[in-house]
Amino acid sequence: MKNNNEKLAAILARLDQLSYIRLDKIPEIDLYMDQVTSFMEDHLKKTKRSPEDKVLTKTMINNYAKNRLLPPPVKKKYSREHILLLLFIYYYKNLLSFSDIEQLFRPITEQHFNTLAQLSLSDIYQEVFSLEHSQMERLKEDTRIKFEAASATFANAEEEEREYLQLFAFISELAFDVYLKKQMIENLLDQLRQEGSPAEPNKKNDKNR
């Protein structure tokens, strides 16, 4: 069984395996749905928790379109812009509701999806994910700090229980961090709604996410 230091090394090593899909890897030709799901599976398989998990399914794509997160395909084909939106959805879907994602995406899809805007959706994707490397390094450092703080807890606990309690404290720190950041994101989205620019989003069931 791994000790806590080995567990930390393992999760930091896993972070090193994760990266966004570079823009030059995204096809410029339109794809059928099966090709889209295959592309996502090939390029995001390292992010899966279990080998049997699916990165993207036909049901998911149809559900995203039904909930207005994704514009409909043209003649059953999905453009590069569709794939870029699907990648954003992939990162948001386990954190936010469909109505929140739709609220966030609406100005992007209205102004930058298949338009002649100065900034294309590709430009936005590239700019956002250009922050990835520095963010990853900050995340690793913050994780180490949390681990060290948790390792200093339960000093008076019985030795055979101390390591698990310290691991519990570390996981709780990580969870609380996610909770607070989720609160901040939801607050920002609520402010967008209150500002009232686009119409109130269509609230539908968030199944098959």
Side-chain angles (χ1 to χ4, degrees):
M1 183 180 294
K2 294 179 181 177
N3 62 36
N4 286 350
N5 285 304
E6 290 170 331
K7 288 183 174 72
L8 174 65
I11 65 170
L12 293 178
R14 175 160 170 74
L15 287 178
D16 284 332
Q17 297 177 2
L18 305 180
S19 180
Y20 76 103
I21 301 176
R22 295 202 320 269
L23 195 60
D24 59 11
K25 297 293 184 183
I26 300 173
E28 296 189 16
I29 60 172
D30 294 348
L31 303 176
Y32 287 107
M33 186 180 284
D34 285 342
Q35 294 172 306
V36 172
T37 57
S38 294
F39 171 83
M40 297 286 279
E41 187 71 26
D42 288 343
H43 287 81
L44 291 173
K45 57 188 174 186
K46 289 184 179 179
T47 68
K48 297 194 299 183
R49 185 173 183 178
S50 303
E52 61 270 18
D53 291 342
K54 295 292 185 183
V55 170
L56 186 67
T57 66
K58 294 179 182 180
T59 301
M60 290 177 187
I61 293 176
N62 289 331
N63 209 28
Y64 300 155
K66 188 183 302 182
N67 284 274
R68 302 192 302 181
L69 309 187
L70 189 72
V74 177
K75 297 180 180 178
K76 297 185 178 180
K77 284 190 172 184
Y78 295 84
S79 68
R80 191 185 213 203
E81 292 179 319
H82 281 104
I83 294 175
L84 293 172
L85 285 178
L86 284 168
L87 288 169
F88 277 118
I89 292 170
Y90 181 75
Y91 293 112
Y92 279 120
K93 66 176 183 173
N94 291 321
L95 187 65
L96 298 175
S97 67
F98 279 177
S99 62
D100 278 342
I101 299 173
E102 196 270 344
Q103 173 72 42
L104 182 62
F105 277 17
R106 199 177 321 137
I108 302 295
T109 54
E110 288 178 356
Q111 299 172 35
H112 302 281
F113 184 92
N114 196 26
T115 69
L116 298 176
Q118 182 178 358
L119 277 176
S120 68
L121 197 53
S122 293
D123 294 328
I124 293 171
Y125 179 87
Q126 182 75 5
E127 190 80 13
V128 169
F129 282 98
S130 68
L131 302 172
E132 183 232 15
H133 178 72
S134 58
Q135 169 64 15
M136 186 68 78
E137 292 308 309
R138 288 194 298 271
L139 175 61
K140 288 180 184 177
E141 181 58 26
D142 182 63
T143 301
R144 292 187 187 98
I145 291 170
K146 285 180 169 61
F147 180 80
E148 289 172 6
S151 296
T153 60
F154 299 103
N156 297 323
E158 296 291 335
E159 185 175 353
E160 62 270 17
E161 190 180 18
R162 185 186 308 134
E163 188 166 55
Y164 180 78
L165 289 173
Q166 290 172 345
L167 179 64
F168 179 79
F170 177 49
I171 292 172
S172 296
E173 277 194 282
L174 293 173
F176 189 55
D177 185 74
V178 173
Y179 168 77
L180 290 178
K181 287 175 180 174
K182 185 173 185 288
Q183 290 286 318
M184 288 190 286
I185 294 169
E186 290 175 345
N187 182 263
L188 288 169
L189 290 167
D190 289 342
Q191 289 181 47
L192 285 176
R193 285 195 181 92
Q194 290 167 9
E195 288 167 4
S197 40
E200 183 69 13
N202 185 28
K203 296 183 178 179
K204 294 191 177 183
N205 199 330
D206 285 3
K207 291 180 180 178
N208 295 314
R209 290 169 59 190

